[in-house]
Amino acid sequence: MTRVLLTGFEPFDGEALNPSWEAVRAAAAHPPEGLVLSTARLPCAFGTSLDALREAVERTAPDVVLCVGQAGGRPDVTVERIAVNIDDARIPDNAGAQPVDEPVVPGGPAAYFSTLPVKACVAAVRDAGLPASVSQTAGTFVCNHVFYGLMHLAATERPGLRGGFVHVPYAPGQVTDRALPSLPVSAVAEALCVIAVTAAGRTTDIRAEGGATH
């Protein structure tokens, strides 16, 4: 049995819900065969989100960590490739902090690559009939902060721990008065299960087109 920790975020920026947490909860309610799924809801706040992530990792001792966040405006499930060592907040976090041009980890590497098989995960989600793509940026808000913090934790304290980050679209109820793409929470939960199974089952990626021109 492979132990997988799924994390999602609390709502932020005035939203009533965060589809990342709703989908994580739904995925954990029906774990795929061969996986033990644990969950943690992270605060949408710099610093304390990493404290909560560390506590969850210590509590569950996972083999794989899949952190999930909302990317409003994106039309599909996007598996992130790289985390960068920068906090540059366009809006305040839920604690009112708004760091600008500050490192996630002072003195840390400029970036970390995901240790998930990113392109294989995307291909598996597409094979399941759901929209997915590779993303080259996790932004510079709390999602990237958590992604970088996870990879730094693995690199410095948890050898053998594999992990990465997935961004998900708005839920339909969030866009009833806005012309923005959305995806049902149930579909996102299915995609997360597919990604978890793929990540648990392979450590090498496939060679496939997934780049971007801008």
Side-chain angles (χ1 to χ4, degrees), residues 3 22 24 55 63 76 78 84 89 95 102 112 115 119 125 128 132 140 143-144 146-147 151 158 160 187 200 212:
R3 299 183 302 275
E22 300 305 320
V24 161
E55 187 280 328
D63 303 299
D76 57 355
T78 50
V84 294
E102 295 181 10
Y112 285 109
T115 49
K119 291 185 176 180
V125 173
T140 55
C143 288
N144 176 76
V146 164
F147 184 14
M151 303 317 299
R158 294 271 178 172

Side-chain angles (χ1 to χ4, degrees), residues 83-86 103-113 148 151-153 155-156:
V84 294
N85 192 14
I86 194 72
V104 180
V105 177
Y112 285 109
F113 283 109
Y148 186 93
M151 303 317 299
H152 188 73
L153 177 65
T156 59

Side-chain angles (χ1 to χ4, degrees), residues 156-174:
T156 59
E157 300 181 38
R158 294 271 178 172
L161 177 65
R162 296 188 296 120
F165 200 97
V166 176
H167 265 122
V168 302
Y170 282 130
Q174 294 177 279

Side-chain angles (χ1 to χ4, degrees), residues 121-131 187 190-191 193-195:
C121 289
V122 168
V125 173
R126 289 175 174 173
D127 287 345
L130 298 167
E190 181 182 351
C193 286
V194 170
I195 292 169

